[in-house]
């Protein structure tokens, strides 16, 4: 007598839908890892661009010893923007000091990195770069 329902023994042997269940278990983990790699790479790119802009401004300050701190900061901002990044939320500051009779200029750059794909809640991170060079 058949009732139309599969027997318990037949259900245990049935593999239909196993791939869909495995995908449903693995896909979220894979997507979180993939977006994590992308976001980490983006953070490293921004940090590297920030360091590049600060180092270029330090080189500019060494060549142009009469440049003001405002000019040096503006130069760093320009170099950062030329890397293809938005200058919104990025601050550059240049300061001059004298240590042991040598004039130095220090350039710092700071920005806040926020995750673009918030799959997992992640706090904002402050990225900074600094360079210090002698002027004379």
């Amino acid at each position: 007598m058949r009732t139309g329902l599969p027997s318990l023994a037949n259900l245990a042997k049935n593999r239909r839908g196993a791939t869909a269940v495995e995908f449903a278990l693995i896909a979220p983990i894979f997507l979180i890892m993939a977006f994590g790699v992308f976001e980490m790479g983006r953070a490293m790119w921004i940090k590297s661009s920030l360091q590049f802009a600060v180092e270029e401004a330090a080189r500019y300050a060494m060549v142009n010893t009469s440049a003001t701190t405002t000019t040096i900061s503006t130069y760093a901002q320009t170099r950062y923007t030329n890397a293809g990044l938005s200058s919104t939320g990025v601050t550059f500051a240049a300061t001059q000091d004298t240590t042991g009779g040598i004039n130095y200029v220090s350039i710092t750059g700071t920005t806040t990195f926020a995750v673009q794909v918030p799959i997992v809640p992640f706090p904002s991170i402050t990225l900074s770069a600094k360079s210090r060079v002698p002027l004379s």
Side-chain angles (χ1 to χ4, degrees):
M1 176 155 116
R2 293 187 88 177
T3 60
L5 297 173
S7 68
L8 195 54
N10 286 341
L11 280 177
K13 294 178 188 176
N14 193 350
R15 300 285 298 165
R16 291 177 55 188
T19 304
V21 171
E22 291 169 358
F23 179 77
L25 292 173
I26 299 301
I29 296 169
F30 173 75
L31 288 174
I32 288 171
M33 287 177 52
F35 283 119
V37 167
F38 294 142
E39 289 296 326
M40 189 60 134
R42 198 171 66 83
M44 292 174 66
W45 174 48
I46 291 171
K47 168 72 172 156
S48 176
S49 297
L50 195 64
Q51 186 66 41
F52 174 75
V54 167
E55 289 174 0
E56 284 291 310
R59 289 183 189 100
Y60 176 80
M62 286 185 351
V63 172
N64 301 304
T65 54
S66 62
T68 65
T69 55
T70 304
T71 306
I72 296 168
S73 298
T74 304
Y75 186 81
Q77 188 88 21
T78 303
R79 297 303 293 171
Y80 184 78
T81 306
N82 288 347
L85 295 164
S86 171
S87 61
T88 306
V90 181
T91 57
F92 289 97
T95 57
Q96 291 184 349
D97 64 283
T98 303
T99 305
I102 300 173
N103 294 328
Y104 290 95
V105 65
S106 298
I107 302 102
T108 57
T110 308
T111 187
T112 302
F113 174 77
V115 176
Q116 294 291 319
V117 184
I119 292 178
V120 176
F122 199 75
S124 297
I125 299 170
T126 301
L127 301 175
S128 62
K130 184 176 183 178
S131 185
R132 183 175 188 236
V133 294
L135 291 178
S136 54

